[in-house]
Structures are given as C-alpha cells and as structure tokens.
C-alpha cells in the first residue's frame, strides 16, 4: 500500500508560503526568493540551517565588494535572509541582530520642471502616453496603473479606486479632469477588444488566489488596457 505521507515542502516553497501567508506583495516575494536562492548557491547549495553569521556576512560582503551592490540592494538581500531564518526556519539566534546594515547614501533628487514634464508627456503617444499622464496626475505606482480595471474608474466622483496597493491596501485617488475624455476613449477601445475576445472564446483577466479557484476560470472582464 502506497504511503499517504506528503513530502515536506522544499525551502523556497516554504519561503513562498510564509510570504503569502503574510500577504506581502508579489514583488517582495520575487525579491526574497531571488536573494535566498542566491545565498544558497553562493555557498554551494549548503542548507541555511547549517550556516550562520560567518556565511551570511561573507555573502553580504561579496554583494558589496565583488558585485558592487548599492546599499538599498544590500539591505534587501539582508532582509530576505533575516526573513528566512526568523519566519521560515524559526531560528532566532543572537547573531541575527548583530548584522550591520550599510549606511544609506544621500542623493539630491532630480526633479523635472513643469515645462520639462509637459514636453516629456507630449512625446509619449498611445496607451503608454495615457498611462504616463495617469501616473503623473494621480500619483499611482506603475503596477497600480497597469492593473487598473474598468470598474475602478468613477467619473461621477472624479475618483479612481486603487485595489491592493502597497501593503495590500486599497485607496482612492483623484481623477484629473484632463484625463476624463482620453480615459473614456480608452474604455471604448477596451470594450471592443472585450467583445472580440468573447467572440473568439479568449480567456479573460487574471483573478488572484481564492477568486480564481472559486470561479474555476478567468473571468471575462477586460482590464483597462
């Protein structure tokens, strides 16, 4: 009789499960998986349980020295490794709190003038230009603009609802009057594509996690683009 005992999930699988349980963003998940994989490969596939402060420090020194990584990249790698030990492996060792983070560099930000922004946006055409103006006018992040759905636009209240933004939080941003007409034109275009997709039996938009399992398929509703 075959055994019904399920094999233990591999390290990266455990890492992903722990990250998703805490509802971290997809970008955070990808970054943490990348750095944990790099850490393990740097030490020739040695399991993290068999390593300690010396190995972590050697990896971080390699990033700063041989790779020439910026302090922000160094901190991201360190955060991924700390998450691995504390949240996944449930290891709380004194050396975890003794690891030094590099000092952040002070930069003077480059800020375009209103005239420069106007010329830049005028040079971007099509859907890309509309997205650029939307991000500039509302303060939305890139992925928030790209994932915008038809139902998120409220022309009566001149507002846009942003779902699952940073920290998995929803919020509303104001819709600039200058974008009302271009957005309505884009909605007509998106609806035409939606009708063609229905005619061709093409799949609909991506549905996350539980809704995807609930509906057993992609829901036939077009995204903004």
């Amino acid at each position: 009789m075959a055994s019904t005992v399920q094999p233990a999930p591999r390290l990266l699988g455990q890492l992903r499960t722990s990250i998703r349980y805490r509802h971290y963003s997809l970008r955070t998940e990808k970054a943490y998986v990348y750095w944990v994989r790099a850490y393990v490969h740097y030490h020739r596939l040695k399991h993290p349980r068999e390593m300690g402060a010396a190995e972590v420090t050697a990896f971080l020194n390699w990033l700063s020295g041989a790779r020439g990584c910026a302090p922000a990249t160094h901190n991201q790698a360190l955060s991924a490794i700390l998450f691995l030990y504390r949240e996944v492996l449930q290891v709380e060792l004194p050396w975890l709190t003794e690891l030094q983070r590099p000092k952040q560099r002070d930069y003077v930000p480059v800020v375009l003038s209103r005239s420069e922004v106007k010329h830049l946006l005028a040079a971007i055409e099509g859907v890309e230009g509309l997205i650029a103006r939307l991000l500039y006018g509302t303060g939305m992040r890139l992925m928030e603009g790209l994932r915008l759905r038809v139902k998120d636009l409220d022309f009566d209240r001149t507002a846009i609802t942003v779902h699952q933004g940073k920290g998995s939080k929803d919020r509303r941003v104001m819709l600039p009057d200058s974008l009302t007409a271009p957005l309505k034109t884009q909605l007509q275009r998106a609806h035409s594509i939606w009708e063609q997709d229905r005619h061709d039996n093409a799949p609909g938009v991506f549905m996350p996690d539980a809704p995807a399992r609930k509906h057993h398929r992609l829901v036939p509703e077009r995204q903004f683009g």
Side-chain angles (χ1 to χ4, degrees):
M1 182 177 179
S3 173
T4 58
V5 177
Q6 296 293 326
R10 299 174 69 89
L11 180 66
L12 294 183
Q14 294 175 342
L15 177 63
R16 290 189 178 95
T17 298
S18 186
I19 292 172
R20 293 175 186 179
Y21 179 78
R22 289 163 177 79
H23 298 282
Y24 286 6
S25 71
L26 179 59
R27 287 195 170 190
T28 298
E29 177 183 328
K30 289 181 176 180
Y32 279 20
V33 169
Y34 172 84
W35 287 119
V36 169
R37 182 185 285 117
Y39 170 59
V40 173
H41 277 269
Y42 176 79
H43 290 291
R44 301 180 183 276
L45 303 183
K46 192 175 181 180
H47 196 281
R49 286 191 184 277
E50 303 172 7
M51 297 188 281
E55 288 82 2
V56 174
T57 301
F59 175 68
L60 296 176
N61 287 339
W62 173 72
L63 289 181
S64 300
R67 289 279 297 271
C69 292
T73 303
H74 185 285
N75 278 324
Q76 186 184 71
L78 176 55
S79 296
I81 294 173
L82 292 179
F83 184 91
L84 170 69
Y85 279 100
R86 289 172 174 166
E87 309 298 340
V88 180
L89 301 179
Q90 300 295 310
V91 174
E92 188 64 54
L93 297 175
W95 58 264
L96 285 174
T97 59
E98 297 173 0
L99 295 173
Q100 297 296 318
R101 293 180 180 269
K103 183 180 179 181
Q104 293 286 353
R105 301 171 185 168
D106 293 327
Y107 291 103
V108 177
V110 177
V111 180
L112 299 180
S113 66
R114 294 183 63 178
S115 175
E116 290 172 328
V117 171
K118 183 177 180 180
H119 282 85
L120 177 62
L121 295 178
I124 308 175
E125 301 178 347
V127 176
E128 292 80 6
L130 177 57
I131 292 176
R133 291 190 290 275
L134 187 65
L135 300 185
Y136 180 76
T138 63
M140 289 194 299
R141 297 175 178 86
L142 176 60
M143 293 309 299
E144 293 172 348
L146 294 177
R147 291 172 178 167
L148 194 62
R149 304 280 290 278
V150 172
K151 64 183 182 62
D152 299 334
L153 301 174
D154 189 339
F155 293 106
D156 292 334
R157 296 182 176 88
T158 61
I160 297 175
T161 302
V162 179
H163 294 284
Q164 292 187 325
K166 189 172 183 179
S168 297
K169 297 178 181 178
D170 295 352
R171 72 181 192 281
R172 280 196 175 93
V173 297
M174 298 306 298
L175 172 60
D177 291 337
S178 60
L179 294 179
T180 297
L183 284 173
K184 288 184 176 180
T185 300
Q186 176 60 23
L187 287 180
Q188 294 176 353
R189 176 181 176 275
H191 187 74
S192 299
I193 298 175
W194 178 84
E195 288 183 324
Q196 187 62 46
D197 284 351
R198 302 285 64 74
H199 180 269
D200 297 338
N201 239 354
V205 301
F206 166 78
M207 294 294 291
D209 305 326
R213 293 191 296 273
K214 178 180 178 182
H215 297 287
H216 303 291
R217 62 187 179 87
L218 297 179
V219 177
E221 181 182 345
R222 291 297 299 183
Q223 283 181 295
F224 168 73

